[in-house]
């Protein structure tokens, strides 16, 4: 593998790493890690930019301090410049990763998963399918029984309400007789 390209003009520390790394070979996994860190830096810088923008006061006729405004605008410009540098660094990492992976044959995801199929796994698959079918039937029966149970509970509730009303009427008639 080749060493990463030296940082170009306007890209200070494009591949910042431990000292002495410039002479070493950088593998694709390290480049991906550097790319991930760069993306995290881009996200944090972007959040800082939005924070600065949120804190900036719009010139809507209200008097504002010119020095404060210029200071915030300077910070914003610096963050934007650093963000631009980070994007260029990310582009370098991306291009280098593509260059390193250009000679590789594309492999489908299914081929990367180690899987050996033999007769015992086929038998287990059939037994799992049977278990699933039985569990589904059992669940269906339970739902059916629950439905019938709710209907019976509703019927018992109606009977109890009717008995309560009947007892209330009997007590009312006994009270009127006395």
């Amino acid at each position: 593998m080749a060493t990463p390209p030296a940082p170009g003009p306007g890209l200070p520390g494009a591949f910042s790493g431990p000292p002495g790394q410039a002479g070493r070979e950088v593998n694709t996994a390290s480049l991906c890690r550097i790319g991930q860190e760069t993306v995290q830096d881009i996200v944090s810088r972007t959040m800082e930019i939005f924070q600065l923008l949120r804190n900036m006061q719009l010139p809507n006729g209200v008097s504002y301090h010119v020095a404060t405004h210029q200071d915030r605008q300077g910070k914003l410009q610096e963050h934007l410049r650093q963000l631009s540098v980070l994007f260029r660094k990310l582009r370098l990492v991306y291009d280098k990763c593509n260059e390193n992976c250009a000679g590789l044959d594309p492999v489908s995801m299914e081929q990367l998963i180690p899987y050996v199929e033999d007769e015992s796994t086929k038998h287990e698959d059939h037994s799992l399918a049977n278990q699933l079918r039985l569990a589904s039937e059992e669940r269906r029966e339970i739902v059916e029984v629950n439905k019938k149970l709710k209907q019976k509970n509703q019927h018992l509730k109606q009977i109890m309400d009717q008995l309560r009303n009947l007892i209330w009427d009997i007590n009312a008639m006994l009270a009127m007789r006395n």
Side-chain angles (χ1 to χ4, degrees), residues 47-147:
M47 289 176 62
E48 290 172 10
I49 288 172
F50 281 119
Q51 185 68 32
L52 282 172
L53 289 172
R54 187 181 330 144
N55 292 335
M56 278 187 146
Q57 187 174 9
L58 295 174
N60 56 0
V62 178
S63 64
Y64 62 94
H65 296 38
V66 176
T68 305
H69 178 72
Q70 287 178 347
D71 181 47
R72 287 182 179 165
Q73 190 172 8
K75 286 180 184 178
L76 182 62
Q77 291 298 327
E78 178 62 22
H79 281 302
L80 289 172
R81 188 192 63 75
Q82 290 172 352
L83 194 61
S84 175
V85 168
L86 287 172
F87 272 111
R88 280 188 244 138
K89 177 180 174 182
L90 185 62
R91 176 47 109 181
L92 284 173
V93 170
Y94 175 78
D95 290 341
K96 187 64 178 174
C97 284
N98 277 345
E99 179 184 313
N100 289 349
C101 295
L104 298 177
D105 294 330
V107 178
S108 69
M109 298 277 278
E110 290 81 17
Q111 290 176 343
L112 294 175
I113 300 171
Y115 180 73
V116 177
E117 186 174 340
D118 56 4
E119 294 302 319
S120 64
T121 58
K122 286 183 181 178
H123 178 67
E124 289 173 7
D125 288 346
H126 291 301
S127 65
L128 288 175
N130 274 345
Q131 289 176 352
L132 181 63
R133 185 180 48 78
L134 290 174
S136 176
E137 289 175 8
E138 186 175 333
R139 183 183 183 287
R140 196 174 309 118
E141 289 174 8
I142 289 173
V143 167
E144 205 173 293
V145 167
N146 279 343
K147 190 184 294 184

